[in-house]
Amino acid sequence: MNIYFAGSIRGGRDDQALYLEIVALLRRYGRVLTEHVGDAELSESGEGTDDRDIHDRDLAWLRAADCLVAEVTTPSLGVGYEIGKATEWGKPVLCLFRPSGGRALSAMIAGCGRVVMREYASAAELDEIFAEFFGGR
């Protein structure tokens, strides 16, 4: 199974260490096409690659993916775009959100019937969430 993991890059890298943990957990279920999202060397300025190249590469990866898993606690225009494309293309989508921290989840994500939305407090809860999401695949 090919898994596309989405997390904030230019929107903020505060959750980078968590993204790294998520990528490691997702590897149990398949090949993570976007492991670089958890890379500590990746800064808010991105990869230093042409924006069009990133766009085209990431959409090719998303098309090749069997599903999208997105950590949406840190708001990101790119992650929202990827979720929109994945739902448009009929891909299963799991969004993860930590409600603590004073942030509110976008109604466009929370209200989308094609998105499986799961709240969690720590990475320790993700095993169960992933087992439930991937169990039916």
Side-chain angles (χ1 to χ4, degrees), residues 61-94:
W61 280 339
L62 185 55
R63 276 205 186 274
D66 297 298
C67 65
L68 167 70
V69 175
E71 211 301 336
V72 297
T73 304
T74 299
S76 166
L77 293 171
V79 172
Y81 181 84
E82 292 162 336
I83 293 166
K85 294 305 271 184
T87 58
E88 175 186 333
W89 295 339
K91 303 215 180 256
V93 176
L94 170 64

Side-chain angles (χ1 to χ4, degrees), residues 50-124:
D50 179 72
D51 287 348
R52 177 163 313 263
D53 290 341
I54 292 170
H55 172 273
D56 294 349
R57 177 202 65 196
D58 288 5
L59 284 186
W61 280 339
L62 185 55
R63 276 205 186 274
D66 297 298
C67 65
L68 167 70
V69 175
E71 211 301 336
V72 297
T73 304
T74 299
S76 166
L77 293 171
V79 172
Y81 181 84
E82 292 162 336
I83 293 166
K85 294 305 271 184
T87 58
E88 175 186 333
W89 295 339
K91 303 215 180 256
V93 176
L94 170 64
C95 288
L96 306 167
F97 179 72
R98 292 183 328 278
S100 63
R103 290 195 171 132
L105 181 60
S106 165
M108 294 302 291
I109 302 301
C112 181
R114 303 210 47 199
V115 168
V116 174
M117 190 63 237
R118 295 290 179 262
E119 292 185 355
Y120 71 109
S122 72

Side-chain angles (χ1 to χ4, degrees), residues 18-63:
L18 175 61
Y19 298 162
L20 193 60
E21 285 185 72
I22 292 171
V23 167
L25 291 170
L26 288 173
R27 282 191 200 118
R28 297 177 187 170
Y29 298 95
R31 179 175 172 229
V32 181
L33 302 174
T34 52
E35 290 187 357
H36 68 286
V37 175
D39 189 342
E41 298 297 314
L42 187 59
S43 71
E44 284 183 26
S45 60
E47 300 172 59
T49 305
D50 179 72
D51 287 348
R52 177 163 313 263
D53 290 341
I54 292 170
H55 172 273
D56 294 349
R57 177 202 65 196
D58 288 5
L59 284 186
W61 280 339
L62 185 55
R63 276 205 186 274

